[in-house]
């Protein structure tokens, strides 16, 4: 089969489009012919490597998969359209799970075929196209989990960083459908108008205005009910400062670094809470599908690349030039 592999960690050049052996079916697993695989920031982390995290080379990236079952099992039929819930047991203490195609033992979806545990197979809802379905298993599921953890209700105000990102665009789309008042952050004019179209009430261009000042002005100095932070070190201090009394920050990412300096006094004196979010459960993925279908909303897709052009997609993500999800067309 054709696949994009890495044989070492590094820059774009370590991505190699090549012929590799098909996966050999093993007990309790299903083989999926990959139709589409979405690109996630995790793919960049795995390509570059993170200290203390292992993959065995050659490794196939790609954690966000929609495809077609090669053989049936249980209630699933051969040829059925499915998506892959990406979390598998990490086997490590104090870590919830590892992710298929991420750090861990499973190869991912930058390949025509992928082998995954049968229990990770989820029926693809007919509301979504094959291309749309691949975008929901990572960014959308995480955004959904973060919004659920925020406890926000209709009319509450939420700050969502990075409206153009996978997680940020998903969070804005879903939060709007939940009836939340949304403040979001961008870094250029094009993203500003796209974020507004997605339903954001206030869009702050962080290159032109101060996010904290604009957020406090917009909320009459009261602060926001919750913050969705996937950016990490550079945004944590502001995320904590802009919370209202009793507000909640939900964190899932470290794009700008994993170690932040925050004002602890600002945190406890407003009795705020910080909650981590790691992906979401299989049943949350199904509730996400149902929610999006009931609200008649579809994921935001920036662009579609051929599998052989995975490098171009990585380059675009590293240049932060996308708005929404980039996806790889694999076998469809
Ligand atoms: N915990 C989980 O389960 C989970 C799941 C999914 C993702 N994540 C993590 O969440 C993060 C986002 O993932 P993604 O796939 O959505 O990434 P992405 O599409 O590459 O987006 C990165 C975002 O970070 C923003 N950003 C970069 N530097 C910034 C700064 N100094 N201030 C404010 N914003 C800044 C970018 O905004 P500009 O374009 O405006 O620069 C962009 O919106 C990654 O770290 C990823 O690993 C975690």
């Amino acid at each position: 089969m054709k696949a994009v592999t890495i044989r070492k960690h590094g820059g774009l050049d370590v991505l190699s489009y090549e012929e590799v052996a098909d996966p050999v079916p093993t007990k309790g697993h299903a083989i999926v012919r990959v139709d589409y695989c979405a690109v996630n920031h995790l793919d960049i982390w795995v390509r570059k490597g993170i200290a203390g995290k292992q993959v065995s080379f050659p490794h196939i990236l790609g954690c966000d998969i929609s495809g077609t079952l090669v053989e049936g099992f249980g209630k699933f039929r051969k040829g059925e359209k499915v998506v892959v819930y990406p979390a598998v047991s990490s086997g490590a203490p104090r870590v919830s799970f590892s992710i298929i195609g991420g750090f861990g033992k499973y190869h991912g979806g930058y390949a025509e075929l992928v082998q995954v545990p049968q229990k990770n197979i989820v029926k693809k809802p007919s509301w979504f196209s094959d291309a749309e379905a691949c975008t929901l298993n990572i960014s959308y599921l995480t955004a959904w989990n973060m919004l659920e953890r925020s406890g926000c209700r209709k009319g509450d105000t939420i700050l969502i960083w990075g409206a153009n990102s996978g997680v940020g665009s998903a969070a804005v789309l879903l939060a709007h459908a939940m009836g939340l008042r949304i403040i979001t952050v961008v870094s250029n004019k094009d993203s500003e108008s796209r974020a507004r179209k997605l339903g954001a009430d206030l869009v702050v261009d962080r290159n032109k205005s101060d996010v904290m000042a604009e957020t406090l002005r917009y909320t009459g100095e009261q602060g926001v009910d919750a913050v969705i932070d996937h950016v990490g070190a550079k945004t944590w201090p502001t995320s904590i400062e802009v919370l209202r009394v009793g507000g909640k920050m939900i964190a899932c990412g470290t794009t700008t670094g994993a170690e932040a300096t925050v004002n602890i006094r600002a945190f406890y004196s407003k009795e705020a809470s910080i909650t981590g979010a790691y992906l979401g459960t299989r049943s949350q993925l199904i509730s996400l599908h149902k929610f999006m279908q009931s609200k008649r909303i579809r994921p935001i897709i920036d662009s579609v690349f051929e599998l052989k052009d995975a490098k171009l997609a990585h380059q675009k993500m590293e240049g932060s030039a996308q708005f929404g999800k980039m996806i790889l067309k694999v076998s469809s």
Side-chain angles (χ1 to χ4, degrees), residues 146 159-161 167 227-240 249-254 256 275:
M146 293 174 93
L159 170 67
I160 299 169
W161 289 97
V167 175
V227 178
I228 299 289
D229 192 317
H230 53 86
V231 179
K234 291 224 168 114
T235 50
W236 267 53
T238 304
S239 295
I240 289 168
M249 165 184 161
I250 304 93
C252 80
T254 55
T256 57
T275 304

Side-chain angles (χ1 to χ4, degrees), residues 40-42 45 138-139 142 161-168 186-187 206 230-231 234-235 252-256 277-279 317 320 322 325:
N40 285 275
H41 214 95
L42 175 64
W45 297 128
I138 299 279
S139 311
T142 306
W161 289 97
N164 65 317
S165 66
V167 175
V186 297
S187 62
R206 65 187 169 88
H230 53 86
V231 179
K234 291 224 168 114
T235 50
C252 80
T254 55
T255 306
T256 57
Y278 197 21
L279 204 64
M317 181 170 270
S320 235
Q322 81 280 22
K325 297 299 299 176

Side-chain angles (χ1 to χ4, degrees), residues 13-14 27 47 53 59 61 66 76-77 96 123 137 144 147 154 164 193 205 232 253 270 279 294-295 301 321:
D13 288 348
V14 303
K27 193 166 182 276
R47 193 194 81 218
K53 300 266 193 183
H59 181 66
L61 303 173
S66 69
F76 290 98
R77 287 172 289 103
S96 313
K123 186 179 166 59
N137 310 296
W144 180 241
L147 288 166
K154 193 171 179 175
N164 65 317
S193 62
D205 183 335
K270 60 174 94 174
L279 204 64
S294 72
K295 297 288 179 182
I301 295 180

Side-chain angles (χ1 to χ4, degrees), residues 12-61:
L12 294 170
D13 288 348
V14 303
L15 294 170
S16 165
Y17 180 65
E18 57 190 63
E19 191 69 32
V20 301
D22 289 359
V24 180
T26 56
K27 193 166 182 276
H29 288 75
I31 306 275
V32 175
R33 179 161 293 281
V34 179
D35 293 331
Y36 289 91
C37 184
V39 176
N40 285 275
H41 214 95
L42 175 64
D43 307 352
I44 292 176
W45 297 128
V46 180
R47 193 194 81 218
K48 288 183 166 173
I50 293 181
K53 300 266 193 183
Q54 308 293 327
V55 291
S56 53
F57 296 117
H59 181 66
I60 301 174
L61 303 173

Side-chain angles (χ1 to χ4, degrees), residues 143-194:
W144 180 241
N145 182 13
M146 293 174 93
L147 288 166
E148 286 198 331
R149 284 174 183 272
S150 77
C152 281
R153 296 280 169 265
K154 193 171 179 175
D156 285 350
T157 304
I158 193 161
L159 170 67
I160 299 169
W161 289 97
N164 65 317
S165 66
V167 175
S169 58
V172 173
L173 182 80
L174 297 171
H176 180 60
M178 292 165 83
L180 308 189
R181 211 155 62 115
I182 302 163
I183 302 169
T184 193
V185 183
V186 297
S187 62
N188 62 63
K189 212 170 172 50
D190 182 46
S191 293
E192 189 177 330
S193 62
R194 295 182 77 168

Side-chain angles (χ1 to χ4, degrees), residues 144 148 281-292:
W144 180 241
E148 286 198 331
T281 62
R282 191 180 188 280
S283 66
Q284 280 178 304
L285 178 61
I286 292 164
S287 64
L288 166 69
H289 289 162
K290 288 184 179 154
F291 177 79
M292 292 183 73

